Amino acid sequence: MTGELGDRPRAAAALDRAGIRDAAPEAARRLDAFIDLVAAWGARIHLVGKGNLQSSLDLLLLDSLLLLRQAEGAGLFGQANPGDEPERSCRIADIGSGAGFPGMIWKVVRPDMNVVLFERKLKLQLFLERLVRELSLEGIEVVGDDAKAYGDAGSFRIVTSKAAGRLSAMLPLAERLLAPGGAYITIKGKSWKGELEGAPPGALRFRAAEDLPEK
């Protein structure tokens, strides 16, 4: 069931297009398995947005990989503070993970990351837990509680999200979860500037915005 982009398997083509060429061969195989599982279950339960499922998965995969490349290119995976433990310096929170985009994609490509997927919908929680088992992933946790109530606040190097809410609500939540020197990275539509202007004051400061392909 693995899809094809051109004459190459979906994952290998997406990794190449995103400019990530140092991923292990096992990562590409796991990404293809991940996409196959989402496609299979997406036909039974609502996992991704409306429209053509395969096209949506291609875009979700590419967007997730482009976010990862941008984070790595900006040096966001270095130590948050001198003396940080290595595994703590690359601790990632994905808020409203849904079907696993982008957090699980990041974990598959960079298995040394410690990833927490926040997802409040029980159906999606169970699906994410199934993915973790079937892909034999370690160092990844699915949390069903609201990220606002998460006990280990201030412990993440990066907070990420995709379509999880307006910036006015997301920025205070990201600030609560982030360690000093951490960063929040997300994908937003054309309204992001207005959302940013309407966000409450806080310690987070805007760093950069880059356009993604495919609208």
Side-chain angles (χ1 to χ4, degrees):
M1 184 174 177
T2 299
E4 301 284 330
L5 295 177
D7 59 354
R8 303 182 63 193
R10 170 182 278 119
L15 285 164
D16 186 66
R17 187 174 179 191
I20 300 174
R21 299 182 176 88
D22 62 342
E26 178 61 24
R29 289 193 291 271
R30 276 180 165 166
L31 283 180
D32 280 326
F34 167 83
I35 293 298
D36 284 350
L37 286 167
V38 176
W41 282 90
R44 309 180 203 179
I45 58 178
H46 180 71
L47 292 176
V48 299
K50 298 178 181 179
N52 183 276
L53 178 60
Q54 294 298 333
S55 296
S56 296
L57 290 175
D58 287 340
L59 289 176
L60 287 167
L61 174 59
L62 179 61
D63 283 350
S64 298
L65 293 172
L66 287 168
L67 271 188
L68 175 60
R69 188 195 66 185
Q70 295 293 341
E72 292 184 326
L76 297 180
F77 294 106
Q79 291 183 342
N81 292 293
D84 278 352
E85 294 295 327
E87 66 273 10
R88 196 169 184 80
S89 68
C90 57
R91 194 164 191 241
I92 311 300
D94 180 12
I95 301 176
S97 190
F101 302 95
M104 191 165 288
I105 299 293
W106 288 21
K107 175 62 181 179
V108 170
V109 177
R110 303 297 187 216
D112 290 341
M113 287 181 179
N114 187 311
V115 177
V116 177
L117 307 177
F118 289 95
E119 178 51 62
R120 290 184 295 177
K121 295 180 181 178
L122 180 58
K123 174 178 66 177
L124 295 176
Q125 290 172 36
L126 296 174
F127 177 71
L128 289 171
E129 290 170 351
R130 182 187 184 99
L131 286 177
V132 171
R133 292 193 303 271
E134 296 210 15
L135 297 176
S136 301
L137 298 177
E138 298 181 356
I140 184 169
E141 178 185 6
V142 179
V143 174
D145 297 332
D146 194 321
K148 294 178 182 178
Y150 188 65
D152 198 8
S155 64
F156 293 94
R157 177 59 176 159
I158 294 179
V159 171
T160 187
S161 67
K162 187 180 188 305
R166 294 178 62 84
L167 290 176
S168 56
M170 296 301 297
L171 289 177
L173 179 54
E175 183 175 345
R176 178 183 181 273
L177 294 174
L178 285 169
Y184 172 51
I185 181 169
T186 187
I187 291 179
K188 297 296 297 181
K190 294 180 179 180
S191 65
W192 71 269
K193 291 183 179 179
E195 294 182 21
L196 191 62
E197 292 170 358
L204 288 178
R205 294 292 179 266
F206 174 73
R207 180 168 179 169
E210 295 196 30
D211 291 335
L212 297 179
E214 307 292 347
K215 303 180 181 181

